[in-house]
Amino acid sequence: MQAETLDLDKPHGGPVSVTHTSAGADDTITGLYAEHALGLTRLALIMVGDRESAEDVVQEAFLGLHRRFGGLRDPANALVYVRSAVLNNARTVLRKRRLPSWFAGAYEPPVWSAESAALIGAERREVIEALHRLPRRQREALVLRYYADLSEEETAQVMGISRGTVKSTTSRALDALGRLLGAAQ
Amino acid sequence: MNDIISRLRDATRVVGETIDHAPVLEAGKSRTRRAWLAPVAAAASVMVAVAGGAVLAKSSGNGINQVAAMSAGPAEAPKFLADARGDGITIRSIDGGAETASLPDPSSRERFVTIQAAQDNRLFYAASATEDCHPRLYQFTLDDDGKIGSFGVLPFTPPEGTTPTSLAVSGDGSKIAYGIEPCDGKKSTGRLVVTETATGDSRTWNTTGDFGLRDVSMSADGRYVAWRRSGLISALGWATDDPLPTSSDEAVAPPDLVPSESAGHGTPAPLPSYEATHTDAATGTVTVEGGGTSEVPSSGTEAEPSPAASASTTPDPASTRTKNSEPGAIATVVASTEASPEGVPGSPLPSGGADPSTGAGGEPSRPAASADCAITMYEGKAIPTGQVADATPAETPSPAPSVAPSGAVGSVVLCMDSSEVSLLDTTASGDSLDQARLITLPTSYDGISLFGVRISPDGTRLIASLGSIGIPAVDANGKSKPKGGSSALIAYGTEDGKPIDVLYQNAGKGAMELLDLDGTGQHAIVQIGGAIGWALGRDSGGEIGEVDGTGYRTLLKLESANSPLIYPEVAW
């Protein structure tokens, strides 16, 4: 249960230090980007709602990876790190939006908003809106498990929580989502 | 349930597929961060030749030479960092952190307390505090290798009986501004002094409120001075372990993090009692009306703040504010060598004001978001908050600052006590600090506090570090785990006090104290962790880092977890 108190704000890629990134690291990062950027951008989009913010979130995550690559205990953790960073950056974006608009800056309405609902259909819009009414951790667990198709173990790593917590959070989240959607019908 | 899952999969997939490709990775380029600040007008960097006949003697041996005023070169990205936290001043190269030069404290009875650089990162000023309350001002230059080019004392001094608190330098070094407080620490009636370094002509602003000045900064043209009000600094310092009642509800920190001797360097010792009436100390200062502004070409010609317009209409909250900002409202975290290694669950760690009631002297009426907090470092016994807060020479005997008595107490104020920034147009007439415009930075969000503020060189922005220290969390097993706070450097317009841009944001690293902004306004020195991490029971010593348009990088790891920073003792 100790993991309950850990927070995603600190990506779990091992100790972070600033070191020079070698050319090999650059290749690794480039490869990682080529393979995962689209998926991560989509994941970020589901979290933050607009494409520009989603792209920024992913870009920042990879820049962070670039800065810290040498400090990662195990470069194989880079994907975990970058996924964590995407979640974390998305959270920052959402947090900023709770501030007055002159602070957060202008942003596009989410792709599932009424303005663009035609794009995805009313039913899906309901689902996404319900998803966004869930507590942050429940939402993240659901998206990682069922959108990104990560295993419980992988989800636990990315979220920095224990596998058991992933399991219980996911289960509670599904219940809550079911209730929200049931109420909407 | 499976229905819900499949609907979820379907909806998220379709939303995701509205994006069909990701943009190219722009290595090293951050999309979200715009250029920091409007570049300082090149005109501001006009070099003024050293006045004919002015001799700048080289430092030799132990002798301290008197120096004449110098002018700084154009604004440059910093190459060197001057660190006045320890004994004397250490100059380090930013690239690699190697020490390039050092200046010892002038004597065991005189210590450098605050330091600041002109915009060229080569001309520096430092102010000292002395045991007999005769502070002095120093100037030194660096060559391109970071060696001391010249070093000497200025022929004019701050008023007798005072301690300088925070020093600022105009872009070309022709003006310095500093806060002073009575040296006896009896009452914190801060004053602001602006001095022409070429002539020593000074102008002093007084106040009737009992607050001190910290975070003093100056626009490059020397016209605007910004600062924050603070409680009494000079009463915080070394104290002996004379009968101090212990209190049971204080937080404890791991014993290995109990401060070493260096803990007290940031705090001026309560120097021997100064009986003269400090209110008279300002006599003899020369008032210079708008002096010097013609020498320094004005920068930032557009969007210049106009404090004059609102100065007189701003209600003066001094009387209520200063009540709040007295150290009496401080919450204290006490370390004990006998403490258990883990933080006590639910212990009153500073939490960005989330629980003002932890402060023994906390004022119930004060808004949570701006609650004060202090960290009292201590060996041996606990010290109650009130003891620190009401520290007077009688209660805190004053040993020589460099000799920490065993079982000594060093106190640090970490959480900021005011989110109000004062902005003074020094070209306006008048001699009251209360005529400065008050800009309240929004800190109501997520319980964040202000950790340092500086005015940008062009005078159009206030760069502030806002953040939360972190929240102690307790898990199901009763284990206390600190949760890192987050912080951000945010630019506010001096005109309206509204946020303009988020320059940098960190999450989970804890609060970030803004220590200095360079002459170009593009590079900031921040401290992360350190005493804050210590308060949270982390074993990291913290670090000093640089924030610029590309993000954060570490400059210096702090050896001990408890380097208190009351003054902006690190500058570039």
Side-chain angles (χ1 to χ4, degrees):
Chain A
M1 292 303 285
Q2 161 192 339
E4 285 283 359
T5 60
L6 289 175
D7 193 76
L8 246 190
D9 282 350
K10 189 170 186 178
H12 299 277
V16 165
S17 64
V18 181
T19 51
H20 290 291
T21 327
S22 68
D26 278 345
D27 288 349
T28 313
I29 292 170
T30 310
L32 208 59
Y33 189 85
E35 193 177 343
H36 294 283
L38 178 58
L40 287 169
T41 309
R42 288 173 169 176
L43 186 129
L45 176 74
I46 291 163
M47 291 296 182
V48 302
D50 73 287
R51 178 173 186 156
E52 193 178 349
S53 302
E55 288 176 355
D56 286 351
V57 157
V58 174
Q59 189 85 17
E60 287 298 321
F62 274 91
L63 288 178
L65 177 65
H66 190 264
R67 280 196 297 273
R68 289 161 179 182
F69 194 84
L72 294 181
R73 203 182 292 135
D74 178 4
N77 277 341
L79 184 57
V80 173
Y81 171 87
V82 84
R83 280 178 176 148
S84 288
V86 165
L87 278 195
N88 182 32
N89 294 348
R91 204 177 300 154
T92 305
V93 168
L94 294 176
R95 203 181 288 144
K96 261 203 232 169
R97 289 184 184 164
R98 295 208 303 266
L99 296 171
S101 57
W102 42 260
F103 191 95
Y107 58 94
E108 292 292 308
V111 291
W112 56 84
S113 66
E115 291 90 321
S116 43
L119 211 58
I120 68 165
E123 262 196 48
R124 292 180 184 126
R125 183 182 151 207
E126 261 175 35
V127 175
I128 301 285
E129 282 181 345
L131 180 69
H132 275 265
R133 285 209 294 276
L134 295 179
R136 188 255 301 163
R137 191 187 281 191
Q138 292 189 7
R139 177 171 61 245
E140 289 173 355
L142 284 187
V143 172
L144 291 176
R145 289 282 286 117
Y146 299 115
Y147 171 71
D149 272 331
L150 299 188
S151 68
E152 276 174 3
E153 188 56 44
E154 289 169 318
T155 305
Q157 279 179 2
V158 170
M159 292 183 68
I161 59 179
S162 74
R163 192 173 163 171
T165 309
V166 169
K167 208 177 170 111
S168 58
T169 305
T170 311
S171 153
R172 276 200 301 276
L174 281 175
D175 285 348
L177 192 65
R179 275 197 305 279
L180 284 171
L181 290 173
Q185 277 167 5
Chain B
M1 190 60 72
N2 284 338
D3 171 50
I4 296 292
I5 293 176
S6 55
R7 284 184 69 186
L8 179 65
R9 282 187 196 277
D10 171 63
T12 50
R13 181 185 52 81
V14 170
V15 167
E17 282 172 2
T18 59
I19 294 183
D20 52 14
H21 70 277
V24 183
L25 179 64
E26 300 165 64
K29 192 174 149 206
S30 175
R31 287 164 52 107
T32 48
R33 290 171 203 139
R34 274 151 279 162
W36 267 45
L37 304 165
V40 185
S45 60
V46 171
M47 226 182 123
V48 184
V50 178
V55 178
L56 196 83
K58 283 238 176 194
S59 164
S60 59
N62 294 322
I64 294 174
N65 304 290
Q66 214 168 73
V67 293
M70 285 194 72
S71 283
E76 271 191 31
K79 265 180 82 177
F80 306 106
L81 180 79
D83 181 350
R85 289 170 304 138
D87 295 324
I89 295 167
T90 308
I91 311 295
R92 288 175 195 282
S93 160
I94 286 162
D95 188 15
E99 182 178 327
T100 61
S102 67
L103 287 166
D105 278 334
S107 75
S108 63
R109 291 162 173 261
E110 181 178 10
R111 297 175 305 136
F112 294 119
V113 290
T114 173
I115 187 166
Q116 192 48 260
Q119 68 193 6
D120 65 353
N121 192 232
R122 299 293 185 277
L123 175 62
F124 286 75
Y125 290 89
S128 70
T130 66
E131 228 171 87
D132 60 355
C133 299
H134 287 77
R136 296 200 280 179
L137 297 165
Y138 293 85
Q139 182 193 67
F140 64 91
T141 57
L142 297 181
D143 64 19
D144 283 347
D145 298 322
K147 305 283 180 213
I148 306 290
S150 63
F151 170 71
V153 65
L154 291 172
F156 41 87
T157 67
E160 274 181 34
T162 64
T163 302
T165 56
S166 178
L167 179 68
V169 177
S170 69
D172 63 357
S174 67
K175 285 186 187 186
I176 55 175
Y178 53 92
I180 47 173
E181 284 180 16
C183 185
D184 60 7
K186 274 188 177 163
K187 199 174 170 233
S188 182
T189 44
R191 281 176 286 160
L192 175 74
V193 181
V194 174
T195 299
E196 304 276 335
T197 54
T199 60
D201 288 345
S202 296
R203 193 175 156 193
T204 304
W205 284 262
N206 301 292
T207 178
T208 51
D210 51 349
F211 55 84
L213 281 75
R214 71 198 287 177
D215 276 6
V216 175
S217 61
M218 199 181 215
S219 58
D221 60 4
R223 178 173 176 182
Y224 296 105
V225 177
W227 71 88
R228 281 190 305 147
R229 296 175 173 189
S230 76
L232 191 61
I233 287 180
S234 29
L236 298 169
W238 292 112
T240 66
D241 56 352
D242 285 338
L244 298 172
T246 51
S247 70
S248 55
D249 59 347
E250 304 282 7
V252 292
D256 55 330
L257 295 174
V258 165
S260 63
E261 188 193 300
S262 66
H265 287 312
T267 53
L271 298 169
S273 186
Y274 172 72
E275 293 301 329
T277 51
H278 46 67
T279 46
D280 292 335
T283 54
T285 47
V286 183
T287 300
V288 184
E289 282 292 337
T293 46
S294 55
E295 298 169 20
V296 188
S298 176
S299 67
T301 46
E302 52 175 14
E304 270 202 349
S306 51
S310 47
S312 55
T313 57
T314 310
D316 172 29
S319 52
T320 50
R321 243 337 298 173
T322 48
K323 285 266 189 296
N324 285 346
S325 54
E326 276 180 11
I330 276 167
T332 308
V333 175
V334 174
S336 162
T337 47
E338 285 131 30
S340 67
E342 284 290 335
V344 170
S347 56
L349 297 175
S351 56
D355 187 8
S357 65
T358 53
E363 302 204 5
S365 60
R366 63 184 294 110
S370 61
D372 297 353
C373 45
I375 291 175
T376 301
M377 300 186 181
Y378 183 62
E379 290 179 48
K381 295 175 196 163
I383 180 172
T385 302
Q387 194 88 16
V388 177
D390 304 328
T392 64
E395 290 170 33
T396 55
S398 43
S402 54
V403 185
S406 94
V409 175
S411 307
V412 233
V413 181
L414 269 175
C415 304
M416 293 301 113
D417 41 18
S418 174
S419 59
E420 279 172 351
V421 180
S422 300
L423 183 67
L424 181 74
D425 182 351
T426 62
T427 60
S429 58
D431 63 358
S432 169
L433 285 178
D434 302 329
Q435 73 195 45
R437 198 153 58 90
L438 282 172
I439 299 172
T440 304
L441 304 183
T443 56
S444 57
Y445 145 64
D446 276 357
I448 56 181
S449 345
L450 182 57
F451 292 98
V453 64
R454 299 289 181 277
I455 193 168
S456 67
D458 65 0
T460 62
R461 299 183 183 204
L462 291 168
I463 312 299
S465 176
L466 281 86
S468 57
I469 284 186
I471 302 149
V474 182
D475 70 10
N477 301 327
K479 282 214 165 187
S480 174
K481 279 248 172 184
K483 195 177 155 186
S486 301
S487 54
L489 274 192
I490 299 170
Y492 296 85
T494 44
E495 193 90 53
D496 53 10
K498 293 212 168 148
I500 297 169
D501 203 357
V502 177
L503 308 174
Y504 171 73
Q505 202 155 11
N506 86 31
K509 277 188 166 179
M512 181 171 70
E513 173 129 33
L514 175 62
L515 303 182
D516 196 21
L517 196 63
D518 81 328
T520 64
Q522 306 283 329
H523 309 265
I525 309 178
V526 297
Q527 187 192 5
I528 292 177
I532 299 170
W534 167 83
L536 287 170
R538 285 186 182 171
D539 56 358
S540 83
E543 60 186 50
I544 285 175
E546 169 184 7
V547 172
D548 63 14
T550 63
Y552 174 87
R553 77 183 176 104
T554 303
L555 294 175
L556 197 58
K557 293 274 184 193
L558 300 179
E559 285 166 18
S560 63
N562 47 53
S563 306
L565 290 157
I566 284 189
Y567 301 115
E569 292 164 299
V570 181
W572 63 11

